[in-house]
Amino acid sequence: MTAVRAAIPRPRTGDEGRPASLTAFIPCFNEAGQVDEVHATIDAELSGYPDLEILFVDDGSTDGTLDKVKALSAKDPRVRYVSFSRNFGLEAAHGAGFRYASGEWVVQLDADLQSPPAEAPKLIAKALEGYDVVYGIRRERNDPLFRRLGSAVQQRLAQRLFGVDLVYGSSVFRVVRASVARRAVDLRLATPYFVATMPLLGARWATVDVAHRRRQDGGSRWAVWRLFTHSAELFFGFSLRPLMWLYLAVACAVPVVIAAGSVGVVAGEVVLLGAVGVLAAYVHRLVRGSVRPALFYVREANIPIAPQDSLYAAGPVVREAAR
Ligand code: UDP
Ligand code: MG
């Protein structure tokens, strides 16, 4: 067995306190109209970093995003891509970005350039002070009101009511030590909710204020229902307190039902329905965890892909095995 001496890895730095290697990672879902501009902007803002990799994760786009990315990769050897067999969602795309980044550090960007690459050096400089993850905090967030309000309520509820450890106000614009990010992915959690997973690992974190731009091209790829599914993932995936609150509600409802006659019966029915709902949410998570084959499957890439992530990797030949 190889012994591992535990120590905080000292950042290997190039010139002027720069990391030795950096991956700029961009998840893309139907962003054909944006890919060229994203590439040009990253090239303009981050080319000064040694050993820069520009990693596009195509999350099952159907609009020619992959063709655009391939054209870029033919011209620019720093461009790498991983393309999913279907749309697996942003968390899966993050997982692939972390798993396949070649850089020591990963900066997470987006195709609509709402997280401006010009702000990334601030996050990187902070990270090199000795953190594992540095979150960008959008002081002026240019998103619709329901998104801003929804996120704020979701994160506060998670923290205060359900005791989930996360960094309030943190966005997906962040710089992460790739080795630590891969630990989070390798946990294979049913909910790969990065911001709530990092504290479970004991990752050292810091925040830096960043600018945030309005989305330029079309609407957000984010649907309203995602706020609800995301919230459910966060609350039920990282806390058992919803069950605790439920037991409390049931315990309080019993005397009310007895004392208040028919009104009480209605209140009791509401609590009962709530109870069934919360229990169903946990059972659903258990079942899903046991049947979900993978976080994502890769159809195409210009880098080597682990067999368990590849849709086409040769599995065991069943007829051979049966002989
Ligand atoms: N995205 C993705 N998979 C999805 C949805 C979005 O890879 O299922 C990408 C999208 O192309 C963009 C980034 O994630 O690069 C952020 O998405 P979007 O701008 O729609 O979200 P918002 O900024 O509104 O949070
Ligand atoms: Mg956006």
Side-chain angles (χ1 to χ4, degrees):
M1 205 169 73
T2 327
V4 178
R5 256 214 339 237
I8 303 170
R10 282 246 310 275
R12 290 186 295 126
T13 53
D15 300 328
E16 300 156 30
R18 292 173 171 185
S21 51
L22 178 72
T23 294
F25 150 62
I26 315 99
C28 294
F29 179 47
N30 292 341
E31 303 280 9
Q34 288 290 117
V35 165
D36 287 336
E37 192 187 343
V38 174
H39 175 262
T41 313
I42 293 174
D43 182 42
E45 302 293 347
L46 304 177
S47 271
Y49 286 96
D51 210 357
L52 175 72
E53 171 184 62
I54 304 174
L55 176 60
F56 288 91
V57 174
D58 167 33
D59 185 9
S61 299
T62 52
D63 72 340
T65 296
L66 182 59
D67 292 338
K68 289 267 183 185
V69 172
K70 281 180 170 176
L72 282 176
S73 73
K75 286 186 293 190
D76 182 350
R78 298 170 304 175
V79 173
R80 318 274 155 75
Y81 61 84
V82 169
S83 179
F84 287 174
S85 59
R86 66 167 170 86
N87 179 244
F88 280 89
L90 198 46
E91 279 70 34
H94 291 166
F98 292 143
R99 187 171 291 162
Y100 289 105
S102 69
E104 188 179 0
W105 295 90
V106 184
V107 55
Q108 262 182 270
L109 299 167
D110 46 21
D112 54 6
L113 295 167
Q114 287 195 277
S115 309
E119 296 282 273
K122 283 200 271 184
L123 299 174
I124 296 164
K126 188 77 188 168
L128 292 181
E129 286 176 19
Y131 296 98
D132 300 315
V133 49
V134 178
Y135 298 102
I137 304 281
R138 302 162 292 201
R139 283 298 161 211
E140 281 179 43
R141 183 173 171 185
N142 283 303
D143 272 329
L145 182 68
F146 86 89
R147 283 290 303 279
R148 282 179 282 141
L149 216 69
S151 298
V153 171
Q154 180 203 58
Q155 292 196 345
R156 279 289 182 232
L157 273 180
Q159 275 184 318
R160 302 269 160 87
L161 199 61
F162 301 130
V164 180
D165 193 0
L166 51 78
V167 181
Y168 181 76
S170 59
S171 66
V172 288
F173 189 17
R174 54 201 170 197
V175 166
V176 191
R177 195 191 295 275
S179 55
V180 175
R182 280 196 270 276
R183 284 266 177 241
V185 181
D186 291 345
L187 286 178
R188 294 194 161 265
L189 297 179
T191 308
Y193 215 117
F194 191 81
V195 70
T197 310
M198 281 291 111
L200 298 181
L201 301 177
R204 290 189 171 176
W205 58 268
T207 62
V208 166
D209 285 358
V210 289
H212 185 240
R213 296 202 331 193
R214 199 171 291 282
R215 182 178 240 280
Q216 293 163 316
D217 166 51
S220 165
R221 305 294 182 263
W222 233 83
V224 179
W225 60 264
R226 262 184 59 188
L227 185 62
F228 292 99
T229 53
H230 250 234
S231 301
E233 294 285 334
L234 185 60
F235 300 162
F236 302 128
F238 288 86
S239 174
L240 281 175
R241 283 205 205 164
L243 272 179
M244 189 192 80
W245 289 116
L246 185 75
Y247 288 137
L248 215 64
V250 171
C252 296
V254 172
V256 174
V257 172
I258 293 166
S262 58
V263 181
V265 169
V266 175
E269 277 170 358
V270 170
V271 170
L272 200 70
L273 279 178
V276 172
V278 172
L279 285 174
Y282 283 103
V283 171
H284 170 245
R285 294 185 56 74
L286 280 176
V287 172
R288 191 187 59 182
S290 62
V291 298
R292 192 182 64 175
L295 189 56
F296 55 81
Y297 281 114
V298 175
R299 188 187 301 283
E300 240 184 296
N302 67 345
I303 51 176
I305 296 298
Q308 74 265 22
D309 292 337
S310 165
L311 185 65
Y312 301 116
V317 179
V318 176
R319 270 175 34 209
E320 286 292 321
R323 269 186 206 152

